[in-house]
Amino acid sequence: MPPVVQNAPVVPPPPAETGWRRARQAPSLGEVFASIKVPGADAPFWRKFLAFWGPGLMVAVGYMDPGNWATDIAGGARYGYTLLSVILISNLFAMLLQHLAAKLGIVTGRDLAQACRDHYSKPTAMMLWVLCEIAIAACDLAEVIGSAIALNLLFGLPLPWGVGLTILDVFLVLLFQSKGFRLIESIIAGLIFLIFGCFLYEIIVSHPDYFGILQGLVPQKQVVTNPGMLYIAIGILGATVMPHNLYLHSSIVQTRAIEQTEPGKRMAIKFATIDSTVALFLAFFVNGAILVTAAAAFHRNGMHDVADISDAHKLLAPVLGAGAASAVFAIALLASGQNSTLTGTLAGQIVMEGFLNLHLKPWVRRLITRGIAVVPAFIVTLMYGEKGTSELLVLSQVILSLQLSFAVVPLVLFTGDRAKMGVFANRPVVQLTAWVVSGIIIVLNVYLLFQTFFA
């Protein structure tokens, strides 16, 4: 008789009314599945909110990673506060898509990768897996470059050395994973609030035009009619909505041990949505603060061509007259890179296990992903230095744009399918809005790719 495993997560049976081809098997992130207790429906609001608080912050990390910085700096330096509205709209899009990702995971007990593996033919699922792996590698590339630049700015460490040191992130992530999921959430929350504090300081010392900020939040016609502005606006959109975040969110919401009943799932969807929406507002502040700081420090002083993270760092202190401004900027960049490393590791595990049902040891999986990112970054830093890394950073965001529609379309399709979602299927208004958002994202990203490679 096999031994009884104590405290093993209980995997609820698949829903009776199912539109899936196969019964659900292993849960997503099985080692932490349903590992965090949540209070009952009669508990006060704040206790339920705190129980579900965490996954949203992990998702928000992808919306403020080093890949976003270059587009935000370029937008602020060149066009002042005008493109703030684009950051706001991008975040509203993200809030809707992350809500759908959380709902898919909570209702079906499948993450987006597992859902794709079940729904599509094997060749299609394999293609989606390859595209998603490319997106994760591109995101990891941005983290490697961002961390290397931050180490260079703070300690004068040569870029190739900084790139090499990022391999140590593998062991850092493994250490945190072994201590429990709440620890990872707490570390990420701490780093996010560090980034938040850094940019609150940057805004205060840059003395922006607050009326100009309010005007920038209102969409302007010139965003579409000015080709240069449109190009950066699409870059901001492409750098904001991350494909791997949809896979990540649909999995990590399942770390909560919710009641597998309709009321239990409705409560979980409600608080998971509140969690991600609040966290994405923090991400909006960080991205907006980067643009506002660039607008106040550079655009106002006629420095319209600053689009490089290193140049921005060098110019902040002399322009603002605040000695700590450059150091605070670099600290925020390093925290951003480290945060993205943690969530990128989990996203890679979720995608590989979900699409292939292949369970590698975490350190093997992490070394493969980090190796794919480190090699090109190392070669470019050796051959081209800072200029090359900046261009590589932009290229990583273009690659992410290319992959986005391959995650968004299945997500909207699944969450609108009544056979798969039952009573939780998207209402017609939500489904129509989701398709409109998806269409806008796809069209703009195709335009960005065309401009990048053919114009």
Side-chain angles (χ1 to χ4, degrees):
M1 181 175 177
V4 177
V5 179
Q6 298 295 326
N7 299 323
V10 178
V11 182
E17 194 176 5
T18 179
W20 304 100
R21 294 191 299 172
R22 292 180 289 268
R24 193 183 58 202
Q25 298 174 344
S28 185
L29 291 179
E31 65 272 19
V32 291
F33 177 82
S35 60
I36 299 173
K37 293 182 179 179
V38 298
D42 55 346
F45 177 91
W46 66 268
R47 280 194 59 204
K48 290 185 281 191
F49 174 75
L50 289 177
F52 284 96
W53 175 251
L57 288 175
M58 297 183 70
V59 167
V61 166
Y63 294 88
M64 58 179 88
D65 78 333
N68 294 55
W69 289 44
T71 53
D72 292 336
I73 290 170
R78 195 167 301 171
Y79 301 111
Y81 306 109
T82 307
L83 294 178
L84 268 177
S85 60
V86 177
I87 297 178
L88 176 61
I89 292 169
S90 298
N91 264 70
L92 294 175
F93 285 2
M95 288 172 189
L96 172 62
L97 295 174
Q98 296 300 162
H99 159 71
L100 298 183
K103 184 161 74 167
L104 177 71
I106 290 167
V107 172
T108 69
R110 289 173 166 85
D111 60 52
L112 182 56
Q114 291 172 330
C116 288
R117 180 170 176 265
D118 179 276
H119 180 83
Y120 294 110
S121 65
K122 190 170 183 179
T124 302
M126 289 298 292
M127 182 197 73
L128 291 174
W129 169 68
V130 170
L131 291 171
C132 194
E133 290 288 359
I134 292 171
I136 290 172
C139 190
D140 212 43
L141 182 62
E143 295 154 16
V144 167
I145 295 172
S147 296
I149 292 173
L151 291 170
N152 173 260
L153 299 178
L154 284 170
F155 308 112
L157 197 68
L159 285 175
W161 286 35
V163 169
L165 274 177
T166 60
I167 297 175
L168 297 178
D169 289 346
V170 177
F171 305 104
L172 192 67
V173 171
L174 292 175
L175 174 65
F176 293 153
Q177 276 187 299
S178 66
K179 302 295 183 181
F181 202 75
R182 265 302 196 191
L183 177 63
I184 294 180
E185 291 180 345
S186 300
I187 291 169
I188 284 175
L191 288 172
I192 284 178
F193 284 107
L194 173 63
I195 298 167
F196 185 91
C198 287
F199 276 105
L200 187 60
Y201 169 81
E202 298 285 357
I203 285 182
I204 291 170
V205 299
S206 65
H207 303 292
D209 176 2
Y210 293 103
F211 182 70
I213 291 174
L214 292 175
Q215 282 186 312
L217 291 172
V218 179
Q220 304 292 323
K221 181 182 177 182
Q222 57 184 319
V223 173
V224 178
T225 57
N226 183 323
M229 196 177 291
L230 178 61
Y231 181 78
I232 293 180
I234 298 171
I236 290 172
L237 176 67
T240 300
V241 186
M242 296 285 189
H244 72 280
N245 265 345
L246 303 177
Y247 293 93
L248 176 69
H249 202 191
S250 62
S251 172
I252 58 178
V253 290
Q254 298 180 53
T255 55
R256 271 55 183 174
I258 66 169
E259 291 182 15
Q260 295 299 316
T261 60
E262 184 178 330
K265 290 180 179 180
R266 288 198 184 280
M267 183 182 81
I269 292 169
K270 173 184 174 182
F271 283 95
T273 301
I274 294 172
D275 170 44
S276 62
T277 301
V278 171
L280 287 175
F281 266 117
L282 292 177
F284 165 68
F285 173 85
V286 169
N287 283 322
I290 296 171
L291 187 143
V292 166
T293 301
F298 307 134
H299 182 80
R300 186 170 59 192
N301 292 287
M303 303 176 182
H304 298 165
D305 295 327
V306 178
D308 182 274
I309 290 175
S310 298
D311 287 344
H313 172 264
K314 291 172 189 172
L315 292 170
L316 274 175
V319 169
L320 298 180
S326 294
V328 169
F329 179 87
I331 290 169
L333 178 61
L334 183 60
S336 174
Q338 294 309 299
N339 242 352
S340 300
T341 289
L342 289 170
T343 57
T345 298
L346 286 173
Q349 181 181 344
I350 290 161
V351 165
M352 180 168 281
E353 292 180 0
F355 276 112
L356 304 183
N357 199 26
L358 177 64
H359 298 262
L360 293 178
K361 291 182 178 179
W363 67 270
V364 175
R365 163 73 218 186
R366 186 61 190 153
L367 275 177
I368 291 172
T369 305
R370 183 45 56 101
I372 292 170
V374 162
V375 171
F378 190 77
I379 293 171
V380 169
T381 53
L382 279 177
M383 296 181 66
Y384 303 105
E386 285 184 10
K387 186 176 185 299
T389 54
S390 297
E391 291 177 357
L392 199 58
L393 198 60
V394 173
L395 177 61
S396 72
Q397 301 312 297
V398 174
I399 293 171
L400 283 169
S401 296
L402 178 63
Q403 315 305 324
L404 184 57
S405 59
F406 296 101
V408 170
V409 170
L411 176 65
V412 177
L413 190 69
F414 298 156
T415 53
D417 188 339
R418 197 165 187 82
K420 286 178 167 57
M421 300 290 291
V423 295
F424 296 97
N426 297 336
R427 289 174 295 174
V429 172
V430 174
Q431 188 70 358
L432 176 61
T433 305
W435 280 124
V436 169
V437 168
S438 303
I440 292 171
I441 289 172
I442 291 167
V443 169
L444 292 181
N445 281 321
V446 168
Y447 177 82
L448 173 65
L449 292 166
F450 177 81
Q451 289 294 314
T452 302
F453 292 111
F454 303 108

